[in-house]
Amino acid sequence: MPCNVILLEHTPRPDGLVAAAARMCYSDMGARELVARVAEETDEARERFLAGLWKSGHHSPLEHASFTFGVDGLSRVASHQLVRHRMASFSQQSQRYVKMGQSGDAAVVTPPSISSNQRTLDIFRRQAEASLAAYEELCKIGVPAEDARFILPHGWETRLVFTMNARELQHFFALRLCRRAQWEIQNLARQMLKLVRAAAPLLFRVSGPSCVTGTCSEVHPCGRRYADMEDLLSQK
Ligand SMILES: Cc1cc2nc3c(=O)[nH]c(=O)nc-3n(C[C@H](O)[C@H](O)[C@H](O)COP(=O)(O)OP(=O)(O)OC[C@H]3O[C@@H](n4cnc5c(N)ncnc54)[C@H](O)[C@@H]3O)c2cc1C
């Protein structure tokens, strides 16, 4: 199963809420008035304001807008990287309480470098199926699932619900959409960016690695900088 991510919920009108929260810092108006005032602004004015906010380093208002995703078909290799992002909240399917291999097949994400070659694919599938067979045998003997799972491959699929605010998302996209990041988390980040751009087009109009938002900050640049947002989003 390929990684599938959906946007489950998000703060209503994220662009407007962040703009209103930021305007609060520079205004003598109350919150309700400010929200109404911002709602009357043109998209261009709001976009200019939000861009200035980001450029100035005044990033905390972005924390008022949250986005909750559901993902399945992600490997535990990638989820291990995802959960390193401490400003996010996570709920991950447990391998203690949920028996693995219910479909009968080894649910392992296959990297393209392996699936593109029949010989490597055969080696990979054979070992994954053997791991699942050993897991099932251990469970049958009476070993608890929480211990039998130690035999399962690192690439085993997992499911999560997770929430990030817009500030954390900007940080996440900067790190994980860089071509130097691991391919699977890049794919996940790209799908997420497409989803949040639909929900908050002004907040995420420009978002991603430093080659897109400014100048590449990598110590070892990839030498293949993205031309623009379109180029970044169109990659497979
Ligand atoms: C290309 C790449 C390669 C990597 N390779 C490795 C590796 O080999 N080994 C490894 O262990 N990790 C590796 N990582 C993971 C990396 O070190 C971070 O753990 C991960 O990217 C989360 O980033 P973060 O801590 O900036 O973000 P978050 O946890 O999302 O935090 C966001 C920001 O909040 C602030 N913050 C959060 N917590 C604290 C805190 N306790 N104190 C101060 N400020 C805080 C920081 O400014 C931080 O940038 C890699 C990441 C990338 C993108």
Side-chain angles (χ1 to χ4, degrees), residues 84-87 168 171 175-176 180-181:
R84 292 292 298 275
H85 291 277
R86 295 157 290 177
M87 299 296 117
E168 176 62 6
H171 177 68
L175 293 181
R176 304 300 185 172
R180 305 281 300 171

Side-chain angles (χ1 to χ4, degrees), residues 1-7 69-74 157-160 162 184 187-188 191-192 195:
M1 182 182 23
C3 163
N4 175 41
V5 60
I6 54 173
L7 182 57
F69 303 88
V71 63
D72 47 39
L74 190 73
E157 287 180 3
T158 187
R159 299 175 201 272
L160 300 101
F162 60 100
E184 195 184 3
N187 289 346
L188 171 71
Q191 290 185 53
M192 288 165 59
L195 292 168

Side-chain angles (χ1 to χ4, degrees), residues 111-205:
S113 63
I114 290 171
S115 62
S116 59
N117 174 307
Q118 194 56 50
R119 184 160 166 233
T120 52
L121 183 61
D122 288 346
I123 296 169
F124 188 85
R125 291 307 309 171
R126 201 182 321 127
Q127 192 58 41
E129 296 299 341
S131 299
L132 176 61
Y135 169 85
E136 285 175 337
E137 204 177 338
L138 290 168
C139 289
K140 243 183 236 153
I141 294 168
V143 172
E146 71 171 19
D147 291 340
R149 67 173 162 166
F150 278 61
I151 202 77
L152 294 175
H154 204 33
W156 201 268
E157 287 180 3
T158 187
R159 299 175 201 272
L160 300 101
V161 169
F162 60 100
T163 301
M164 289 184 180
N165 65 44
R167 184 182 192 178
E168 176 62 6
L169 277 166
Q170 289 287 10
H171 177 68
F172 178 77
F173 293 143
L175 293 181
R176 304 300 185 172
L177 278 166
C178 172
R179 287 194 209 261
R180 305 281 300 171
Q182 185 251 355
W183 63 267
E184 195 184 3
I185 202 154
Q186 278 189 62
N187 289 346
L188 171 71
R190 189 171 285 104
Q191 290 185 53
M192 288 165 59
L193 178 54
K194 287 177 185 169
L195 292 168
V196 297
R197 268 166 71 91
L202 304 185
L203 283 175
F204 296 101
R205 197 179 66 77

